[in-house]
Amino acid sequence: MDKPTKLDQQLCFEVYKASSNFSKLYAKTLEPFGLTFTQYLVLLVLWEEDGLTMKQIGEQLGLGTGTLNPIINRMIDNGRVTKKQSTEDRRAFRISLTDQSHADEKPIEQAIHNKITSCNYLDVNAFELMKNLKALNAFFSDMDL
């Protein structure tokens, strides 16, 4: 049996690989909808509460304005969202879903559901994995990184 390498013994590397593989899985599933994984995350936030400011979306996703702005701009160009100056704060912009994004919510959710359930591993282990990752992220959050 081969001796495990230092890299193979790193939890951070396994989390990195899992994250990368999730991104690939979602990217392939979202491709027919013309969406990237990050754009899908923006849609998830807005499907929950439409008309949020860029700052509010960024806070929920853990993304800064510099990262989020080009994503939103591509989504505007692709007819997924609109961007209007906030009436409450002239420095803020509200992001709203288009009719196309509203119409695609159920088909996208179904495509994701179908892909995830086709991975039998996730059916069996998803809840435990989610619980452990939430605990890990809470631990890191408490460290004030």
Side-chain angles (χ1 to χ4, degrees), residues 5 9 21 29 38 42 54 72 74 83-84 86 93 96 118 124 132 144:
T5 67
Q9 296 176 45
N21 286 323
T29 306
T38 314
V42 170
M54 291 268 288
I72 296 292
R74 281 191 297 278
K83 179 178 171 181
K84 293 185 181 172
S86 172
F93 289 89
S96 299
S118 73
V124 175
N132 289 336
D144 195 34

Side-chain angles (χ1 to χ4, degrees), residues 17 33 36 60 130 144:
K17 287 192 313 187
F33 298 97
T36 66
Q60 287 192 44
M130 179 75 85
D144 195 34

Side-chain angles (χ1 to χ4, degrees), residues 90-104:
R90 302 194 77 193
R91 298 167 294 170
F93 289 89
R94 294 212 171 268
I95 309 302
S96 299
L97 295 167
T98 62
D99 291 342
Q100 181 64 46
S101 290
H102 282 294
D104 279 348

Side-chain angles (χ1 to χ4, degrees), residues 39 54 64-75:
Q39 290 170 347
M54 291 268 288
T65 305
T67 302
L68 188 58
N69 201 40
I71 295 165
I72 296 292
N73 286 336
R74 281 191 297 278
M75 293 178 78

Side-chain angles (χ1 to χ4, degrees), residues 26 30 35-44 47 108 112:
Y26 275 76
L30 295 167
L35 292 168
T36 66
F37 178 61
T38 314
Q39 290 170 347
Y40 169 68
L41 296 178
V42 170
L43 288 178
L44 282 176
W47 284 329
I108 291 170
I112 296 294

Side-chain angles (χ1 to χ4, degrees), residues 45-46 49-57 60 93-96:
V45 169
L46 292 172
E49 185 179 352
D50 200 5
L52 295 175
T53 64
M54 291 268 288
K55 182 179 179 185
Q56 291 169 318
I57 295 168
Q60 287 192 44
F93 289 89
R94 294 212 171 268
I95 309 302
S96 299

Side-chain angles (χ1 to χ4, degrees), residues 69-132:
N69 201 40
I71 295 165
I72 296 292
N73 286 336
R74 281 191 297 278
M75 293 178 78
I76 291 168
D77 292 343
N78 293 334
R80 289 284 175 188
V81 297
T82 60
K83 179 178 171 181
K84 293 185 181 172
Q85 194 171 40
S86 172
T87 56
E88 301 89 32
D89 181 354
R90 302 194 77 193
R91 298 167 294 170
F93 289 89
R94 294 212 171 268
I95 309 302
S96 299
L97 295 167
T98 62
D99 291 342
Q100 181 64 46
S101 290
H102 282 294
D104 279 348
E105 180 178 3
K106 296 298 181 212
I108 291 170
E109 285 178 352
Q110 189 63 51
I112 296 294
H113 175 77
N114 291 347
K115 181 58 83 175
I116 295 298
T117 55
S118 73
C119 305
N120 291 331
Y121 176 84
L122 293 174
D123 284 349
V124 175
N125 297 298
F127 292 113
E128 191 65 28
L129 180 60
M130 179 75 85
K131 183 176 114 183
N132 289 336

